[in-house]
Amino acid sequence: MAGPAFDQMDGEIWFDGQFVPFADAKIHVLTHGLHYASAVFEGERAYSGHVFKLEEHTERLIQSARILDFEIPFTAEEINDATNELLKREKLTEAYVRPIAWRGSEALGVSAQHNKIHTAIAVWQWPSYFKPEEKLKGIRLDIAEYRRPDPRTIPCKAKAAGLYMICTLSKHAAEHKGYADAVMLDWQGNVAEATGANIFFVKDGVIHTPTPHCFLDGITRRTVIGLARDRGLEVNERTIAPEEMEGFEECFLTGTAAEVTPVSEVGPYHFVPGKISEQLMHDYEACVRAPGAAAIAAE
């Protein structure tokens, strides 16, 4: 997402029910969400002017807030309408969409039950970065030092800002070593996910993916599982030990940003992006651009 800093961008952000210039969408330095990570967000993508599975993303945003013990002061319909109106006002068709909700600056302490809840939505241009033939070369991943925590210690079903701190550290560490990203193990030492995407493996025509017990069951993840099963492919959700990566033939990531991205390396393990990864890349592209795709329910 290289380009001008966000506070230097033109356009508008929907902020607490009003459309304001990018540069004026400000919060106070003593905002609770900044100090204590009392914030939830979504990453969404618009294709041909329509946000793919917008309703599901909005519902997850609202549920994430409830898990963090606050209620977003807008209905799902109001958030969806604001998102669609913002895209029109910005005249964007291929775009990234970032809604976020957080506790405000009325009080600063661990407890902030009466702080105002703020909500904002920003959109910016996001074209497809890679041609299919470039993606099929596969990206290189490291294995992260930090692990996804025990679900008894974090609200792992919320897309909460604080949970991404170890993801940022892990991705930075991987990039310093020349990798594109990192695979994170879970607290028991099994394969979990990448820092911002779910992971899949292929062996003998069968797809294997970790059970989402300590990380988000991504909307793209569920979509791709449905597409694979529509193709008659077997998808096995299970515990995957790191050493099993030695025997897998293909590997790919899924996510709003990643879409379907083949992987060529995970640490010492090597894969060859193949026909299943390629087929699901094409199937996903067709799915998000199909007529009425914005309203398609997850499988």
Side-chain angles (χ1 to χ4, degrees):
M1 296 186 293
F6 284 113
D7 60 358
Q8 303 293 317
M9 289 176 63
D10 295 325
E12 295 178 311
I13 288 175
W14 186 83
F15 194 117
D16 286 344
Q18 303 294 323
F19 292 97
V20 302
F22 253 80
D24 294 339
K26 299 177 180 179
I27 62 173
H28 195 272
V29 70
L30 297 181
T31 292
H32 194 272
L34 176 62
H35 291 257
Y36 293 98
S38 54
V40 296
F41 69 98
E42 281 293 316
E44 306 165 7
R45 199 156 176 175
Y47 298 89
S48 304
H50 301 284
V51 179
F52 184 61
K53 296 192 175 178
L54 173 59
E55 291 80 7
E56 290 181 47
H57 280 288
T58 300
E59 186 58 35
R60 188 170 67 180
L61 180 75
I62 291 170
Q63 292 303 319
S64 292
R66 288 172 179 164
I67 292 171
L68 264 64
D69 194 34
F70 66 83
E71 196 74 28
I72 293 175
F74 297 95
T75 66
E77 183 178 9
E78 288 173 324
I79 294 170
N80 293 338
D81 288 346
T83 301
N84 290 325
E85 177 62 22
L86 188 58
L87 283 170
K88 291 178 183 177
R89 292 170 76 105
E90 296 301 296
K91 298 181 174 60
L92 292 174
T93 57
E94 308 297 308
Y96 188 79
V97 181
R98 172 54 61 91
I100 183 168
W102 68 96
R103 292 188 189 275
S105 55
E106 288 73 20
L108 190 62
V110 173
S111 178
Q113 297 186 45
H114 303 295
N115 285 30
K116 181 178 178 179
I117 304 304
H118 297 274
T119 313
I121 306 168
V123 300
W124 57 89
Q125 186 175 9
W126 189 314
S128 295
Y129 285 134
F130 303 108
K131 296 179 181 178
E133 59 270 22
E134 293 173 338
K135 290 181 74 171
L136 280 169
K137 295 176 182 177
I139 62 173
R140 300 173 61 244
L141 309 180
D142 194 13
I143 297 178
E145 173 186 356
Y146 292 106
R147 298 185 176 189
R148 296 311 306 166
D150 186 323
R152 293 169 295 185
T153 68
I154 59 167
C156 65
K157 299 304 179 184
K159 195 170 178 69
L163 302 183
Y164 284 80
M165 182 264 289
I166 57 174
C167 299
T168 296
L169 291 174
S170 298
K171 188 170 176 66
H172 285 182
E175 290 174 344
H176 290 324
K177 292 192 282 185
Y179 293 94
D181 201 347
V183 167
M184 303 182 75
L185 306 181
D186 66 20
W187 84 103
Q188 295 176 313
N190 297 308
V191 177
E193 60 175 350
T195 62
N198 295 124
I199 192 165
F200 291 78
F201 303 95
V202 179
K203 182 177 182 180
D204 298 330
V206 176
I207 298 173
H208 303 263
T209 189
T211 304
H213 61 302
C214 65
F215 56 89
L216 284 180
D217 180 8
I219 291 172
T220 307
R221 177 186 185 275
R222 295 198 303 267
T223 299
V224 171
I225 287 174
L227 292 170
R229 287 174 173 159
D230 287 345
R231 285 275 175 191
L233 295 168
E234 180 182 347
V235 181
N236 192 358
E237 299 181 72
R238 64 178 182 84
T239 299
I240 298 175
E243 57 269 22
E244 289 188 71
M245 289 191 280
E246 180 72 38
F248 290 127
E249 300 150 4
E250 298 181 45
C251 176
F252 59 88
L253 303 181
T254 65
T256 296
E259 301 178 300
V260 178
T261 297
V263 173
S264 61
E265 295 180 34
V266 176
Y269 306 106
H270 295 262
F271 312 93
V272 178
K275 62 180 182 180
I276 289 180
S277 299
E278 183 174 11
Q279 183 66 67
L280 291 173
M281 279 176 51
H282 293 310
D283 287 352
Y284 185 75
E285 176 70 14
C287 179
V288 299
R289 296 190 181 280
I296 295 174
E299 288 78 1

